[in-house]
Amino acid sequence: MLARNIKLSWAKYEKINIAEIEHDLGRFFVRELKNTPKHIIIDAYVCSDARNHFVRQVLTHIPYVNVLNSAGNVVYSPHERPSIIIAHGDSGYKGCGAIDYSFEHSEEDELGYPYIAELEADPLQNAKEQLKQINPEWRAGIVYFNHQDGTVELVDGDYNKYGIGIALFSELKKTLRSGFTDKELKQMASGQNPEIIFLNNIYSDLTVFNFFEINLQRDSFHGIIHDSLKYAMEHSLRGTGSFKDTQVCVMAFRRDEPIPEELQYLLNRERFVRDYINRGGKIYIVTVGDLPSTKAVYRIKKKTKTIKKNDVKKGGDNTPATSV
């Protein structure tokens, strides 16, 4: 199914101009969005958490490195090439929302995020478990990013045989060391507040935006993709806490290529999508071609039903027509 053919029972799904995007930063982001394929020889698996923004930025700027993001840096469809896991948390190895959720809720019968609950409850152990999903020939290492003080450490193990883990660790260490202000470190220690939820299967080199980013691996819509999106939307626009200002979600796909069938099911059936829009969230689906003129934008907007005066039965409430 192509993005333009999505059908929603509860909402309008309409093609719009970029100028009609009802969010200043979201409009600027979509205008800048492009697919920039590059020759890839290394995959880096990073948690979607917005506090990994600068880590993603450094890795994206290194030639030949592809960054794949999901809640808890999950590996579910790896390529046959050297791969590194970037775990994160604070000085006490806590603070990653996905890992902390697993620690607190994995034994419960009713789980809001069942695939996140399957993660190991320690970020380093989880990283080792994710690395096991990769063929031993391609395991290139684990790096831990401390979002509390902005430092990185190379995790011990029998991995770094390619020297890739050491090389990426060295680059992150040198770059991040002077990259954070005290204000940024304080904000990261208290939680995340991404500007945009960004689900995609394109190669984007945009790093100036503060994302909660989710990447499909080999175009496959695994359960962790569902849970990552649900986690972000359910925590958004609650007034306080993480995601308190996260008002826009952009889903970007390659033009004229099928999108996962699971996405239409999610958009139609999952209550958290409607609730996000009801709290003021805005969702846009974008298809990206090779040229700027081939970009297309679709808006998901709640349907409105007008109650007319003539529809009110005799003896009923004769209130003015309203939209619901």
Side-chain angles (χ1 to χ4, degrees):
M1 179 182 63
L2 299 177
R4 62 174 175 263
N5 296 328
I6 289 176
K7 304 293 184 183
L8 301 180
S9 60
W10 63 276
K12 292 181 180 179
Y13 183 72
E14 54 189 358
K15 188 175 182 179
I16 62 171
N17 297 319
I18 292 177
E20 296 177 85
I21 294 175
E22 302 168 309
H23 187 277
D24 290 344
L25 186 65
R27 185 168 57 253
F28 177 64
F29 168 66
V30 171
R31 189 180 291 133
E32 294 293 314
L33 189 61
K34 59 183 178 179
N35 188 30
T36 53
K38 60 181 180 179
H39 180 59
I40 297 166
I41 62 172
I42 302 167
D43 283 334
Y45 293 87
V46 181
C47 181
S48 297
D49 195 304
R51 289 169 291 187
N52 289 317
H53 166 70
F54 291 111
V55 171
R56 281 192 283 270
Q57 187 176 72
V58 173
L59 294 173
T60 300
H61 290 173
I62 299 174
Y64 314 121
V65 175
N66 179 41
V67 182
L68 294 162
N69 302 273
S70 68
N73 40 256
V74 169
V75 179
Y76 66 84
S77 187
H79 295 92
E80 293 294 308
R81 55 187 176 225
S83 300
I84 186 169
I85 310 295
I86 312 293
H88 83 107
D90 58 23
S91 300
Y93 299 98
K94 301 289 184 183
C96 169
I99 301 299
D100 290 350
Y101 178 85
S102 177
F103 177 78
E104 295 169 4
H105 301 285
S106 61
E107 300 300 322
E108 296 177 4
D109 294 332
E110 297 292 331
L111 294 168
Y113 314 107
Y115 289 91
I116 291 177
E118 291 179 359
L119 302 176
E120 294 294 327
D122 172 89
L124 299 186
Q125 187 59 39
N126 180 64
K128 293 176 182 179
E129 289 299 314
Q130 298 309 319
L131 206 60
K132 289 180 182 179
Q133 307 307 311
I134 298 165
N135 188 309
E137 179 183 356
W138 303 115
R139 297 174 190 171
I142 298 171
V143 170
Y144 183 74
F145 170 56
N146 185 331
H147 61 232
Q148 186 175 10
D149 62 16
T151 62
V152 289
E153 66 177 276
L154 184 65
V155 177
D156 293 334
D158 298 327
Y159 309 117
N160 301 292
K161 54 188 176 183
Y162 290 99
I164 290 172
I166 295 172
L168 294 183
F169 162 73
S170 177
E171 187 62 25
L172 285 166
K173 183 178 180 180
K174 288 185 290 187
T175 308
L176 297 178
R177 180 169 52 197
S178 58
F180 295 104
T181 65
D182 290 341
K183 180 180 178 181
E184 287 170 335
L185 291 174
K186 185 177 180 180
Q187 289 173 339
M188 290 195 299
S190 63
Q192 61 176 312
N193 191 24
E195 297 163 335
I196 296 170
I197 302 168
F198 183 34
L199 170 68
N200 70 93
N201 73 344
I202 66 174
Y203 294 106
S204 172
D205 60 1
L206 288 178
T207 60
V208 298
F209 299 90
N210 185 19
F211 299 139
F212 183 92
E213 185 167 4
I214 310 164
N215 300 106
L216 304 186
Q217 297 175 25
R218 295 178 181 263
D219 297 331
S220 174
F221 203 93
H222 184 272
I224 195 63
I225 303 300
H226 169 279
D227 278 11
S228 300
L229 189 62
K230 182 180 181 182
Y231 182 91
M233 285 190 173
E234 286 193 335
H235 285 79
S236 293
L237 305 175
R238 298 289 184 179
T240 59
S242 293
F243 297 90
K244 65 184 181 68
D245 299 312
T246 310
Q247 196 179 6
V248 64
C249 173
V250 175
M251 303 180 186
F253 303 96
R254 295 185 294 273
R255 180 181 172 88
D256 294 330
E257 293 188 17
I259 64 172
E261 294 290 338
E262 296 92 337
L263 180 63
Q264 177 167 273
Y265 179 88
L266 179 149
L267 293 174
N268 260 312
R269 300 295 184 90
E270 293 289 5
R271 186 72 204 184
F272 69 83
V273 176
R274 306 186 195 195
D275 290 344
Y276 176 68
I277 289 178
N278 288 337
R279 292 195 303 275
K282 305 179 188 305
I283 302 175
Y284 301 96
I285 293 180
V286 183
T287 58
V288 184
D290 295 329
L291 298 172
S293 61
T294 60
K295 188 182 300 178
V297 183
Y298 302 87
R299 175 172 58 196
I300 297 175
K301 194 168 186 178
K302 185 179 177 181
K303 290 180 179 177
T304 58
K305 180 180 179 181
T306 302
I307 302 174
K308 300 178 180 179
K309 287 183 178 181
N310 293 339
D311 293 335
V312 180
K313 294 181 180 180
K314 187 176 181 180
D317 180 12
N318 293 321
T319 54
T322 57
S323 292
V324 296

